[in-house]
Every structure is written in structure tokens, then in C-alpha cells.
Amino acid sequence: MFRFGVDYYPEHWPQERWETDARMMQEAGINTVRLAEFAWSYLEPQPDHFDFDWLDRALDILHVHGIQAVLGTPTASPPPWVMATYPDAYRVLPSGQRQTYGNRREYCPNHPGYRERSRIITQAMAEHYANHPAVIGWQIDNEFGDRCYCSTCQAHFHTWLQRKYGSLEALNTAWGTAFWSHVYTEWSQIPVPLETGGAPNPGLALDYDRFMSDSYVRFQQEQIDILRQVCPDHFITHNFMGLHYDRINYFDLAKPLDFVSWDNYPRLAWRLEMNVPAASRAIEHDTMRGLKGKNFWVMEEQSGSGGGQTVGITPRPGEIRLWTYQAIAHGADAILYFRWRTSRFGTEQYWHGVLDHDGQPRRRYREIQSIGMELQRIGDQLAGAETKAQVAIILCYDTRFAFQIQPNHPNFRYPELLAGYYNAFHQRNVSVDIVPPTADLSRYKVVIAPALYILPENVAANLRRYVENGGLLLTTARTGVKDEHNAVVNMPLPGPLTELCGVEVEEYEALPADIDVPLQLSLPGGSSDLATHARLWCDVLHPTTAEVVARYDAQYYMGHPAITLNRVGRGQVLYVGTFGDERLQEALVEWSIATSGLSPALNTPAEVEAVEKWQKDKRLLFLLNHADEAREVILPKEMEDILTGQVQKGRVTLPSKAVMILHDA
Ligand code: GAL
């Protein structure tokens, strides 16, 4: 069954309304809701005094209407009494200031009292709902995140370091504390990287970021342990925040969960931009699919204009449907809209849901209702369908944290580099998996590993194995610069990949953002002498075994190699000594696609996305027109649209925001 639903907050509305809500949901084809993730005050109004009556009633009403529920453990937003009990459970900001009450997610994930209260409420909920017929699973907390710098964290950091390094000698060596005489002689001397300490030792700073990420993973695990034991039949998930969220190693956070969920807001309130590029959403979905290498849920999908102190742009007619099917095309097995009804109160008064403040059904309700009816018909054909990508892009959180600490260039953004390559594949309708550095790469024809700045030997070995087995690897400037302790390697760059790439970096420099260096690119068998540009960074290369495919055309390194290609058995490695402009990334991707014999799902005009998925052996071809105008596509053979049952062939017109899901007729 395809899960279709909303995020529902019955505690915000009088109980007399609940029956109407459930009826209207049922009439919209809704079969699933998420509840209670911010209801701690109502579930445990006083320490150890629980009140589940209201939630029982809400669940019973929903159940009668054929609606099942995912319950959120409510630990993202503690009631005032919890924080009054533990004033030192408030997070400390990098500035050293302690947060105060008034928002949410203000807690320190290491605070023993907060963790205990979290276990108590989780246990009580789990015991109460283990056998409720409407409850199917759990969302832990809500959008984990934000680093804390308090003294509790500092003490836990010391324990974490002791476990990791065993001795202060090992730690001092790994971090290179000889520099500026930072040699630690007691664990208790080790600081947390507060802003008041200035630019920290890179080894310490990276370990702190890993430690904070691990702190959330452990906090989550404490709740998972309870739920697995008390509710063995229920699934467990957490709602992630997509590729753009960068404070937690999401591969680690995803590991113990049954599946990943995430919250998709294509148009945020504080960015008043009408245009939502299809690729900007696609990469987020693909990253979320990549966390566990399997389908995911969208636990919150935008259904109205977002808003805080100001109001955002409302989804245009057809956009909610387009975003829904785009999510499904990229791996969503469930879509829940945020939120059922717009709240009259609180910080998110202007974050609009399916219904407006007055609870009346209007355009957005009707659009969702028609999607609901459609999915009741065809949802079974979509749920569980798989993506079979032959291209992988490596996402490395250690590298990401290290670039947060030292961006290398003030304008360099690691996720933007990934997105540059991703977009070039996306434009050509070639599916991409986003994978961790240690992933099994054997099924991919092309692997893009942009700027693997932190490159431990096991990752280098993984890449070597991939190339030696015939793979095509593309890697870029700032690869292999650091070891796992964030110390610069004691060898030529690209460090442990120097031999594989057949090239050494002779010199490098960061470029002023307004200076692009022209490049003459000439790839074997490709269009010769394409004029592109190096941007932000230039490595001056000295090839050992690699051939030169691009040279700089300006600066003192004019005529020197910028990009090389090394052949290793049947495998090939492109080393791109710059971050490059869009045109360069596109040319490299186009060449990689051609060289490795990949074929696009379909050739389509701009802004029409074509995505392939497989339901067992049956190929589903999603066509999604993101443009504001109609677009034409040409189908190579007769295909049936499962949304309408109509057979399509040849030249087909897709109206603006239209969707087709085709399979061979
Ligand atoms: C999400 C969050 C929701 C709600 C929504 C709109 O990030 O999980 O609780 O705040 O954004 O702001």
C-alpha cells in the first residue's frame, strides 16, 4: 500500500473538530498521519504523570476512518518543567552563551537528566501504544541537529577521545599539538572549540564535530533500544533534513533505522524565489535514498506557503502534485504533507498547511484530494519500485566537517561542487546514487568523488579497487589533502591517490572569485578544444603516467596541465585540478556518459525531468514537466500512462507541471 498522509496536531484543536478532520482526511485518500512529536506537555504534564487519553481518542477516531499513525517521540521540544528541572540542559552556542526557553531543540543531547527524561517518556509511550491497532511505527525526535559546547559535552568529549586515542601521547601526535605548544598533559585540559578560543586546531575541531554527531546517534539509539524491545512490530525512523543539513553524519544516523524519512520544502519562506529548479529537489531525494541505499518516506512535504515572521510563496496549482511524483520518482514510498491545518498560534502561525487557519477545504485540499484518489488507484504499482543507478557521487561527512572548519576558499561550498556534477547528470536524465566513501562501488560505471579532502587509506583502497576493476573515476582538486586526523599528508597531492591518478600537484593556489582562468579541454574522442574555465582553485599538475586533457591558458602557469586522464588496466581516472565552471563539469560528465556507454532515461527538453524506476522487471518512466509552459517530448515507442490508462506514442505534449508515468504498452 502506498502511504499517503499528513502531519496532524489534534492537540491544537478542540476535540469536537477531530471527527471532521478524520472524515475530511479519509475523503482525501489519506491513510497515514504522523502525530505527537511536539506533544510532550500533553503526554506528561507533570513529571511521571502521563495522560494518554486524548491521544487514544484521536487515534481511535482516525482508526475508525481507516487511518494509521506514526507516533513521534516528543523529545525535540521539552515542556517548561523539564528545562526548569535541568537549567544546565540548555545547549551552549559556539559563542559560549547558553540558550534560553522559547523555541525548540534547545537541549544538549549529552545531558544525563535530559536523556533520562527522554527515555522515561519514550518508555511510557512505547508501553502504552505497543498494541494499539492504529499505530504502525515511530519517528524519533524531530530533525536532530545543532552542536552544543557545554561542560557536560566537554566531559563526554574527553571520554570519547580517551576511547579513540587511548593515550594523550597518541592524541598529541595525531593533532600535531607541537604547533603553538598545545601539548596536553591531562585530558581535562582539552577545550571544546568555542569561538572565544579563536581558530582551533583542525584535528581537535574535526574530532569535536564527529563527537557531536556521535552524540545524536547515541541519543537516538537510547530511544531505539526502548522501542525495539517494547514495540518489536513497529518500524522506527527519523525525519532528516536533506543534503543541505551538514552537522550530523547522516549515514551514521540512518544506520540503526528501518528507513530514512525526510522533510521536503521546495520553497522556503525566507527565500522569495519563484523558481524551484528540478535538480535542486532531485539531489536532496537522491541523497536521502543514498543514506541507506533504499527507498524513504517524505515525512513532511510542503503543502502551503512557508512562513515565519513573513509569509512565503504558495505552491502554484499543480506544483504539490508535481513535487509528490518527483519524490516518488526518486524513491519515496510515502508522502505526508506538512501540516494538516495551519496553526492559529505559535511560532509557525504562517507556515501554511493543507487547510488554512479556519479549517475550510480550499484549492490545496482539493489538489491533495485528487492526488490521494490517484494514489488509491495506482499506488501499489509505485510503492517499493527501485532506482538502478549506474553513476555514484561520493558524499563524505568527514570532508564536509573539515571544509566547515577550513573552507580553503571563502567562496567554496563542498555541497555545491557535488551539485555541479549531479546537475550535469540530472539534466541528461541519468540517475545518480549518492553514496558514502566506503560504499561497494562495483555496480557503478562512473564514480564521481569531488574533493575527498579527508582521505583515509581504506577509502583510497576502495577507489583503487574500483578503478582496477574497470571503473571510471573522476576526482578533483583538494583530494587526499588530509589524513583522518585532519593533518596534511606527508606526500605529494593527491596524497594516497597520487599513483592511481598518475599525476602530482606541483603547486596550487586559490583564485579570486572574479578571476576565471581559461582552459582548453580536449578529451579523447570528445569534441576538441572546448573553451571552459578554472574557477576558485588551480592545481598546477605534473603528470607521471597520466595524459593531459586540459591546459591553463592564462597566469604564470599558462600551458601547464590542469586536467589529466590516467588509464589503469581497463579503468580510467580523471583528475580535475580545479573546481571549474558549469561548462567544464558538463563537458566532463557528457564525456563520462559517452565513454562508459550510459544511456539517459529519455532525451527531454529543458525542465522536463525523465526518471526511470523498476518495479521488479517492469520499467516505469516518470516524465515531470517543471516548466511554466507546455513542453513536447518524443517517445521512442508506444507506452501506456498508468495515471490515465492512455497509450502514448511519438510526439507527446506535457502541459506545465504535468506528470506522466509510462510503461511499455
Ligand atoms: C520542519 C519541522 C516542522 C516544521 C516545519 C515548518 O523542519 O520538522 O516541525 O517546523 O519544518 O517549519
Side-chain angles (χ1 to χ4, degrees):
M1 145 170 146
F2 193 90
R3 297 251 165 220
F4 187 69
V6 287
D7 303 300
Y8 182 38
Y9 302 91
E11 70 275 22
H12 296 178
W13 305 98
Q15 297 205 6
E16 305 78 69
R17 169 74 190 194
W18 295 357
E19 174 61 35
T20 308
D21 284 337
R23 180 183 47 76
M24 286 170 69
M25 288 179 195
Q26 187 177 20
E27 286 169 5
I30 283 168
N31 54 34
T32 308
V33 295
R34 182 196 60 188
L35 293 167
E37 85 280 11
F38 293 121
W40 196 346
S41 277
Y42 283 83
L43 296 166
E44 192 184 8
Q46 290 173 44
D48 306 312
H49 288 82
F50 301 101
D51 178 5
F52 295 116
D53 287 355
W54 66 274
L55 188 53
D56 292 349
R57 228 166 296 137
L59 284 167
D60 291 346
I61 293 173
L62 291 163
H63 189 52
V64 169
H65 288 271
I67 298 168
Q68 294 182 304
V70 181
L71 295 180
T73 67
T75 50
S77 195
W81 68 257
V82 171
M83 298 312 277
T85 314
Y86 306 112
D88 58 345
Y90 286 104
R91 238 162 31 87
V92 169
L93 305 172
S95 64
Q97 275 179 315
R98 213 178 257 288
Q99 280 208 295
T100 51
Y101 201 79
N103 201 274
R104 61 177 177 181
R105 218 160 83 183
E106 58 266 82
Y107 67 86
C108 161
N110 283 309
H111 189 277
Y114 194 80
R115 285 167 52 197
E116 191 189 4
R117 293 289 2 154
S118 298
R119 290 192 299 268
I120 291 170
I121 182 66
T122 303
Q123 179 86 29
M125 285 180 81
E127 284 172 7
H128 192 83
Y129 290 110
N131 298 310
H132 194 291
V135 176
I136 52 172
W138 298 84
Q139 171 191 299
I140 300 204
D141 203 281
N142 190 83
E143 297 186 339
F144 282 124
D146 300 332
R147 294 173 182 140
C148 176
Y149 299 81
C150 73
S151 54
T152 305
C153 286
Q154 184 172 20
H156 279 88
F157 182 43
H158 295 160
T159 312
W160 186 94
L161 290 170
Q162 281 168 32
R163 220 173 285 137
K164 175 165 180 172
Y165 291 102
S167 71
L168 280 170
E169 250 168 279
L171 175 142
N172 281 314
T173 308
W175 289 358
T177 53
F179 189 77
W180 284 347
S181 237
H182 286 186
V183 181
Y184 297 105
T185 53
E186 297 285 344
W187 295 97
S188 60
Q189 296 160 352
I190 300 171
V192 299
L194 284 167
E195 282 163 11
T196 43
N201 174 300
L204 180 150
L206 178 58
D207 271 339
Y208 197 74
D209 292 349
R210 289 169 170 149
F211 155 74
M212 275 315 303
S213 176
D214 285 359
S215 300
Y216 282 102
V217 173
R218 186 185 60 170
F219 182 67
Q220 174 179 258
Q221 191 61 44
E222 290 183 343
Q223 297 190 25
I224 293 177
D225 289 345
I226 294 168
L227 293 168
R228 291 267 182 243
Q229 210 210 341
V230 185
C231 308
D233 299 335
H234 292 165
F235 64 73
I236 304 176
T237 187
H238 168 72
N239 56 336
F240 291 66
M241 289 182 270
L243 170 65
H244 67 269
Y245 192 74
D246 61 2
R247 299 292 154 103
I248 295 180
N249 183 327
Y250 267 1
F251 291 111
D252 292 347
L253 194 66
K255 206 167 283 164
L257 300 170
D258 292 305
F259 55 83
V260 162
S261 305
W262 88 283
D263 301 340
N264 182 30
Y265 292 95
R267 220 184 257 120
L268 289 170
W270 41 94
R271 267 201 325 247
L272 276 176
E273 287 167 7
M274 199 60 88
N275 186 24
V276 179
S280 76
R281 296 295 95 203
I283 191 173
E284 299 275 350
H285 289 305
D286 286 349
T287 305
M288 295 299 98
R289 193 185 66 248
L291 296 182
K292 286 187 79 73
K294 68 190 253 194
N295 285 359
F296 56 89
W297 282 32
V298 176
M299 196 61 97
E300 300 179 13
E301 173 71 52
Q302 184 160 8
S303 66
S305 64
Q309 305 343 313
T310 56
V311 176
I313 298 170
T314 199
R316 320 326 274 167
E319 273 187 339
I320 298 176
R321 181 168 179 267
L322 181 72
W323 296 338
T324 299
Y325 284 110
Q326 185 188 29
I328 297 172
H330 286 274
D333 274 345
I335 307 279
L336 276 67
Y337 299 97
F338 186 87
R339 47 189 287 153
W340 171 241
R341 179 170 170 183
T342 314
S343 177
R344 293 180 50 226
F345 311 102
T347 305
E348 295 191 345
Q349 267 175 327
Y350 288 129
W351 202 284
H352 295 77
V354 179
L355 304 180
D356 292 314
H357 298 98
D358 63 1
Q360 298 299 313
R362 298 201 175 87
R363 172 180 69 89
R364 300 193 306 282
Y365 174 82
R366 286 191 293 274
E367 287 189 25
I368 282 168
Q369 184 175 39
S370 72
I371 307 168
M373 296 300 112
E374 239 165 35
L375 286 170
Q376 275 185 353
R377 272 193 297 112
I378 64 158
D380 285 347
Q381 298 179 61
L382 305 179
E386 287 176 343
T387 308
K388 291 186 185 167
Q390 292 184 293
V391 176
I393 297 183
I394 293 179
L395 166 64
C396 170
Y397 280 93
D398 274 351
T399 285
R400 201 169 186 186
F401 295 161
F403 278 133
Q404 285 163 20
I405 297 159
Q406 295 167 304
N408 282 242
H409 186 294
N411 295 58
F412 174 62
R413 305 279 177 277
Y414 171 67
E416 285 175 17
L417 182 65
L418 264 67
Y421 285 101
Y422 178 92
N423 293 351
F425 284 104
H426 181 266
Q427 253 175 44
R428 287 160 182 77
N429 296 321
V430 172
S431 289
V432 172
D433 281 346
I434 311 279
V435 301
T438 49
D440 174 4
L441 302 172
S442 57
R443 55 185 274 220
Y444 299 109
K445 288 197 170 152
V446 179
V447 170
I448 311 285
L452 272 184
Y453 187 56
I454 302 278
L455 185 60
E457 179 45 39
N458 64 326
V459 175
N462 195 30
L463 297 174
R464 264 181 230 123
R465 202 173 318 122
Y466 168 70
V467 175
E468 281 158 10
N469 288 331
L472 169 55
L473 173 71
L474 182 154
T475 185
T476 73
R478 307 321 278 152
T479 292
V481 178
K482 301 279 194 107
D483 67 14
E484 61 261 54
H485 302 297
N486 213 1
V488 176
V489 294
N490 190 12
M491 56 178 112
L493 299 185
L497 291 190
T498 302
E499 202 187 320
L500 188 74
C501 295
V503 74
E504 286 183 13
V505 178
E506 279 281 307
E507 283 197 81
Y508 57 72
E509 69 166 345
L511 285 175
D514 58 348
I515 296 185
D516 288 349
V517 176
L519 280 183
Q520 289 302 326
L521 179 70
S522 140
L523 287 154
S527 49
S528 59
D529 289 352
L530 184 73
T532 61
H533 290 92
R535 289 205 61 233
L536 303 183
W537 195 273
C538 288
D539 281 344
V540 181
L541 302 181
H542 169 70
T544 47
T545 56
E547 64 183 280
V548 177
V549 297
R551 291 180 191 274
Y552 294 110
D553 223 359
Q555 303 299 333
Y556 76 90
Y557 35 80
M558 184 163 163
H560 286 269
I563 305 178
T564 56
L565 176 67
N566 199 32
R567 293 178 205 272
V568 181
R570 286 178 300 114
Q572 306 185 74
V573 191
L574 273 169
Y575 182 86
V576 186
T578 176
F579 300 140
D581 61 3
E582 221 176 277
R583 196 145 173 226
L584 176 64
Q585 292 174 343
E586 285 184 5
L588 294 168
V589 163
E590 199 158 284
W591 180 83
S592 306
I593 290 174
T595 304
S596 50
L598 293 173
S599 41
L602 189 74
N603 290 316
T604 55
E607 295 179 277
V608 177
E609 200 183 0
V611 189
E612 269 176 348
K613 271 186 106 178
W614 301 82
Q615 189 61 281
K616 307 247 160 39
D617 290 336
K618 182 167 147 186
R619 186 176 82 119
L620 297 172
L621 177 65
F622 287 70
L623 298 181
L624 305 144
N625 181 8
H626 295 264
D628 289 330
E629 310 86 38
R631 292 269 199 272
E632 272 190 354
V633 296
I634 297 171
L635 299 179
K637 57 181 170 189
E638 269 195 6
M639 299 188 93
E640 186 192 321
D641 183 357
I642 65 171
L643 286 161
T644 59
Q646 279 173 9
V647 173
Q648 305 281 357
K649 61 177 180 196
R651 203 171 282 276
V652 172
T653 302
L654 281 159
S656 168
K657 314 295 172 201
V659 178
M660 281 187 186
I661 307 175
L662 302 166
H663 69 108
D664 295 341

